[in-house]
Amino acid sequence: MGIEDGVSDDIRVVTEKSLPADASAFGLGAFAGTMFILSSYLAGWAPDVTWVTVALFYGGLGQFVAGMWQYKRNCVFSSTSFSTYGCFWLSLGLFYCFKLWGWMPADYDVSGAEAWFLVAFFLFNTYMLAAAFTLSVVNVVVFGLYELTLVLLIIGDFKGQPVDGGASWITAGGYVGVFTSVAAWYASFAVLFNGMVNREIMYLGKPLINIKKEE
């Protein structure tokens, strides 16, 4: 995820015709859609498995391609976040496929494995959240909500809690995940709309911490 360059990524209009179109709106939308479907399942609202194919192709492959696109635009923050979370969704989707196909030992600690998997991305998201403070308010909201989602899911997985919609850390993580997806959808729409009109109509917010060197 990430809003960083131009009206779509830090309110700097890019005029060079050689640059490809900004992929931030697509990348944020891919994250939001995948997060919404998975979180709806974790909250006990939606059936299982539906999120897997979405994670593999929309959130996974789609976000990874968006990240590579942003590298071409020299957008360090959004390229790093999109490509990393694209790999995150691909890995999570494949992990679940292995579970469905019976490729794991009967006594395999699936919850514990998921917890450690999420811990790794929690650490990554922590420093991306710190970097987000130098970009915009919307970035901070998206990464901050996702940080809280990961914390809740990690606790639930370490406790071995099932996904049953009952009162649990997993269910709470699903609820916060829905809010995360809504925030990411807003960011996607703001990037798309602002990019179309070449100015900030939809609120993104200024950097909360300005550490850029003045020219």
Side-chain angles (χ1 to χ4, degrees):
M1 304 92 67
I3 306 167
E4 173 192 359
D5 146 276
V7 175
S8 51
D9 266 342
D10 226 34
I11 324 305
R12 176 175 57 85
V13 178
V14 178
T15 58
E16 295 90 337
K17 294 182 179 180
S18 60
L19 289 178
D22 189 356
S24 293
F26 169 73
L28 285 161
F31 175 81
T34 309
M35 191 69 191
F36 178 78
I37 296 175
L38 174 58
S39 296
S40 296
Y41 158 64
L42 296 175
W45 304 338
D48 194 3
V49 183
T50 308
W51 64 271
V52 177
T53 52
V54 179
L56 290 173
F57 291 97
Y58 192 29
L61 181 60
Q63 266 201 106
F64 182 79
V65 171
M68 296 301 101
W69 203 270
Q70 292 301 90
Y71 275 116
K72 179 67 174 177
R73 294 176 59 84
N74 197 32
C75 299
V76 178
F77 183 88
S78 56
S79 58
T80 302
S81 58
F82 288 145
S83 55
T84 299
Y85 281 113
C87 292
F88 166 85
W89 289 116
L90 284 169
S91 301
L92 185 61
L94 282 174
F95 179 84
Y96 205 80
C97 285
F98 293 163
K99 177 183 175 181
L100 292 174
W101 297 336
W103 290 5
M104 297 179 181
D107 59 347
Y108 188 74
D109 183 9
V110 175
S111 292
E114 289 176 347
W116 284 110
F117 175 83
L118 294 178
V119 165
F121 285 95
F122 165 78
L123 296 174
F124 169 79
N125 193 78
T126 298
Y127 67 76
M128 293 301 287
L129 173 59
F133 277 87
T134 68
L135 296 175
S136 70
V137 173
V138 169
N139 269 308
V140 173
V141 172
V142 173
F143 280 88
L145 285 172
Y146 190 55
E147 185 91 340
L148 179 57
T149 301
L150 290 172
V151 169
L152 295 171
L153 295 178
I154 288 169
I155 296 174
D157 277 331
F158 273 130
K159 288 179 174 292
Q161 294 178 342
V163 179
D164 56 10
S168 69
W169 293 98
I170 297 293
T171 303
Y175 289 157
V176 179
V178 170
F179 284 107
T180 304
S181 64
V182 171
W185 263 322
Y186 171 83
S188 175
F189 176 65
V191 166
L192 176 68
F193 192 80
N194 291 348
M196 291 175 64
V197 300
N198 269 349
R199 59 196 181 99
E200 184 180 355
I201 301 297
M202 300 295 295
Y203 176 79
L204 292 173
K206 300 297 182 181
L208 296 177
I209 300 176
N210 191 354
I211 59 175
K212 291 184 179 181
K213 182 178 180 181
E214 295 184 2
E215 297 181 358

